[in-house]
């Protein structure tokens, strides 16, 4: 299922979600029939399907689709990839940036595919740590490069709007494989992403 301007949504899932979101609104003390909320259950049903569309997508297929033989063997970095995901504990957004690098070993991939892979895993219910590792594993297993590095910096609304209510906390997670395990290569990557 691809959700773009010509959005198509699974009818059964949408119908089921609409009915459940109507109940949610009632339980929260709202009137789902009042004018402003009339279409809200449907909008939320579609928004939630959009935000979890990653379950229907295959990161390896995306990378394989633009895998090219190339002798380039220096570090390739795509940094500042904006990221929007939802924490699996509260189903509230967390958002920030992903920085991804790999050192090719005979194959490169289309640069946009790196950003697409970030979205495939971000558009699910996540914890930031698992998201970081899933991006790394997909690239490692598909391109079999000399190494992969993923750093994610994100703010979690569940820590900002509720709970501990810390507005300025930033969570950084990282995962490294292959050559990024060594000090010099990792240090070069961290320097290039401004860390
Ligand atoms: N490790 C990790 N924790 C997360 C992530 N997103 C949210 N959390 C945390 O998940 C934890 C869930 O803890 P619980 O004590 O079960 O939930 P809670 O009572 O709502 O916790 P508070 O947020 O502290 O009020 C909280 O500490 C959240 O901050 C994430 O991506 N990674
Ligand atoms: Zn949370």
């Amino acid at each position: 299922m691809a959700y773009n301007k010509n959005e198509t949504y699974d009818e059964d899932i949408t119908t089921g979600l609409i009915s459940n979101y109507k109940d949610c609104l009632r339980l929260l003390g709202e009137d789902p029939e009042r004018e402003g909320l009339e279409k809200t259950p449907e909008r939320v049903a579609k928004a939630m399907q959009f935000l979890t569309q990653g379950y229907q997508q295959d990161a390896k297929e995306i990378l394989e689709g633009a895998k090219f033989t190339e002798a380039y063997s220096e570090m390739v970095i795509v940094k500042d990839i904006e990221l929007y995901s939802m924490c699996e504990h509260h189903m509230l957004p967390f958002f920030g940036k992903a920085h991804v690098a790999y050192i090719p070993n005979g194959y490169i991939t289309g640069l946009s595919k790196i950003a697409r892979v970030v979205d495939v895993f971000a558009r699910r219910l996540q914890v930031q740590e698992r998201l970081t590792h899933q991006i790394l594993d997909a690239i490692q297993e598909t391109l079999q490069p000399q190494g992969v590095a993923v750093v994610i910096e994100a703010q979690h609304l569940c820590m900002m709007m509720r709970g501990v209510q810390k507005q300025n906390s930033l969570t950084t997670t990282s995962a490294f494989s292959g050559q990024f395990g060594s000090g010099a290569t990792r240090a070069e990557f961290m320097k290039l992403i401004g860390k």
Side-chain angles (χ1 to χ4, degrees):
M1 252 187 295
Y3 297 113
N4 48 40
K5 208 56 189 140
N6 308 309
E7 294 152 345
T8 51
Y9 294 97
D10 184 287
E11 237 181 270
D12 289 343
I13 293 173
T14 306
T15 308
L17 285 171
I18 289 172
S19 150
N20 278 280
Y21 282 122
K22 272 188 189 168
D23 285 344
C24 287
L25 286 170
R26 274 189 213 101
L27 287 166
L28 292 169
E30 264 292 358
D31 170 13
E33 309 304 331
R34 77 173 168 83
E35 195 188 344
L37 292 182
E38 216 176 350
K39 283 189 73 186
T40 296
E42 183 184 342
R43 292 190 195 99
V44 180
K46 289 179 175 173
M48 293 307 282
Q49 286 178 80
F50 178 87
L51 296 172
T52 56
Q53 66 182 287
Y55 292 121
Q56 270 90 48
Q57 298 170 336
D58 185 337
K60 290 185 192 169
E61 204 175 284
I62 289 169
L63 291 165
E64 291 282 1
K67 182 175 168 183
F68 312 111
T69 309
E70 194 59 59
Y72 186 84
S73 58
E74 299 301 320
M75 195 182 298
V76 178
I77 304 184
V78 185
K79 66 174 188 173
D80 295 328
I81 303 167
E82 68 259 36
L83 166 156
Y84 296 90
S85 188
M86 272 192 305
C87 89
E88 68 184 13
H89 305 116
H90 303 95
M91 292 178 71
L92 285 172
F94 65 91
F95 58 95
K97 287 175 179 173
H99 313 290
V100 180
Y102 71 102
I103 302 171
N105 188 19
Y107 298 102
I108 57 166
T109 189
L111 293 175
S112 69
K113 306 308 178 192
I114 303 280
R116 286 187 187 282
V117 166
V118 171
D119 283 344
V120 164
F121 294 115
R123 288 179 177 152
R124 300 177 186 202
L125 299 183
Q126 277 290 9
V127 294
Q128 192 176 322
E129 294 90 333
R130 186 169 68 238
L131 172 60
T132 309
H133 274 285
Q134 285 177 329
I135 296 167
L136 180 130
D137 290 345
I139 298 170
Q140 185 64 49
E141 287 164 23
T142 312
L143 300 181
Q144 293 174 350
Q146 298 178 60
V148 184
V150 180
V151 169
I152 295 178
E153 304 168 290
Q155 289 181 282
H156 291 244
L157 283 187
C158 68
M159 285 180 67
M160 297 164 75
M161 292 177 73
R162 57 159 298 288
V164 73
Q165 296 181 55
K166 296 299 174 207
Q167 309 310 319
N168 297 305
S169 66
L170 185 70
T171 304
T172 303
T173 47
S174 56
F176 302 99
S177 68
Q179 283 197 15
F180 288 96
S182 91
T185 309
R186 187 184 300 193
E188 185 190 346
F189 165 70
M190 295 306 260
K191 191 172 155 216
L192 288 167
I193 64 168
K195 294 288 129 204

